[in-house]
Amino acid sequence: EVRLLESGGGLVQPGGSLRLSCAASGFAFSRYAMTWVRQAPGKGLEWVSAISGSGGSTFYADSVKGRFTVSRDNSKNILYLQMNSLRAEDTAVFYCAKYLPEDSGSPRVVDYWGQGTLVTVSS
Amino acid sequence: EVVLTQSPGTLSLSPGERATLSCRASQSVNSGQLAWYQQKPGQPPRLLIYAASTRAAGVPDRFSGSGSGTDFTLSISRLEPEDFAVYYCQDYDDSPYNFGQGTKLEIK
């Protein structure tokens, strides 16, 4: 059974930093690209970042480029999101999610989601 | 960057009726690289449709997707009580993998 468990959310002041973690289990972690998607309270989904299975390729939304860094530790089956220079508008539930296989023909489709971790940026 | 516009914003229907949700892209989505997700309150999204028309595993056949180019549709043939939720489309052809703003399907 695929499981994705996010942690590291909480309250942080504007300008501060936070690192989110996502512990993955139930699948061959290193073979799958992964992604972070966020959802501000009462709002829609916003794609944040993605990373290839090897970690060699990373992608970011313009809204977080230069402030957020996605990485992974394939030896520990953990996905990370380092968030710096946080702003009030970064307040959201952050979901860790797994993509379909690279050879599926649709390799950037999410088939499993974590339950999310809430990040609140406020003074 | 592709911008996705979903319509209507809210759709009010009764169980048993047919629902038709639209997703329009600002430019052509190559190879129909478009997905649909369902989200219920307090839950993460759930994949319904990818490649514009392929149902994900376990998704009932009352859900169907169609379209190509810039116009895509999610149809639900006979609404069940559990289908009332928010639906999002997503373009995954190229980064950024943008979502539409969502359509809320509510009980009339």
Side-chain angles (χ1 to χ4, degrees):
Chain A
E1 179 191 4
V2 172
R3 296 191 69 179
L4 300 168
L5 184 61
E6 302 96 336
S7 61
L11 176 64
V12 61
Q13 292 188 338
S17 297
L18 213 54
R19 187 177 81 160
L20 305 183
S21 299
C22 172
S25 61
F27 64 102
F29 182 67
S30 64
R31 293 174 55 187
Y32 292 85
M34 300 288 293
T35 185
W36 289 96
V37 174
R38 69 183 179 183
Q39 187 168 36
K43 302 297 184 183
L45 302 172
E46 181 186 12
W47 175 79
V48 172
S49 181
I51 185 168
S52 63
S54 67
S57 298
T58 57
F59 308 87
Y60 299 95
D62 286 347
S63 58
V64 306
K65 200 172 294 183
R67 300 187 300 123
F68 289 12
T69 302
V70 62
S71 62
R72 62 194 297 160
D73 185 335
N74 285 344
S75 68
K76 296 180 179 179
N77 290 358
I78 300 177
L79 175 71
Y80 299 103
L81 186 67
Q82 176 67 44
M83 304 185 295
N84 299 329
S85 303
L86 283 161
R87 307 165 180 167
E89 55 265 35
D90 294 317
T91 294
V93 172
F94 282 74
Y95 293 104
C96 159
K98 168 189 168 293
Y99 281 131
L100 286 175
E102 291 293 335
D103 60 357
S104 67
S106 297
R108 294 298 173 260
V109 170
V110 172
D111 60 349
Y112 286 95
W113 302 73
Q115 289 299 309
T117 186
L118 176 63
V119 172
T120 303
V121 184
S122 174
S123 54
Chain B
E1 175 177 336
V2 176
V3 176
L4 299 176
T5 302
Q6 293 186 238
S7 61
T10 301
L11 184 58
S12 300
L13 293 171
S14 301
E17 291 192 293
R18 179 182 182 87
T20 302
L21 287 65
S22 173
C23 177
R24 178 162 291 178
S26 59
Q27 56 189 277
S28 183
V29 177
N30 292 331
S31 303
Q33 302 276 286
L34 188 113
W36 290 92
Y37 299 88
Q38 175 195 67
Q39 188 179 32
K40 298 179 180 179
Q43 297 183 17
R46 170 198 178 194
L47 175 64
L48 297 176
I49 301 285
Y50 62 97
S53 60
T54 301
R55 266 190 305 276
V59 175
D61 60 6
R62 64 180 181 273
F63 290 91
S64 63
S66 63
S68 63
T70 60
D71 289 297
F72 298 87
T73 300
L74 174 69
S75 299
I76 311 171
S77 59
R78 294 172 309 279
L79 286 166
E80 298 286 344
E82 62 267 27
D83 298 337
F84 292 91
V86 180
Y87 293 83
Y88 296 94
C89 59
Q90 185 192 24
D91 158 46
Y92 58 91
D93 176 39
D94 196 7
S95 175
Y97 306 116
N98 290 329
F99 290 91
Q101 82 280 17
T103 289
K104 182 179 181 180
L105 178 56
E106 65 176 23
I107 299 177
K108 187 175 182 179

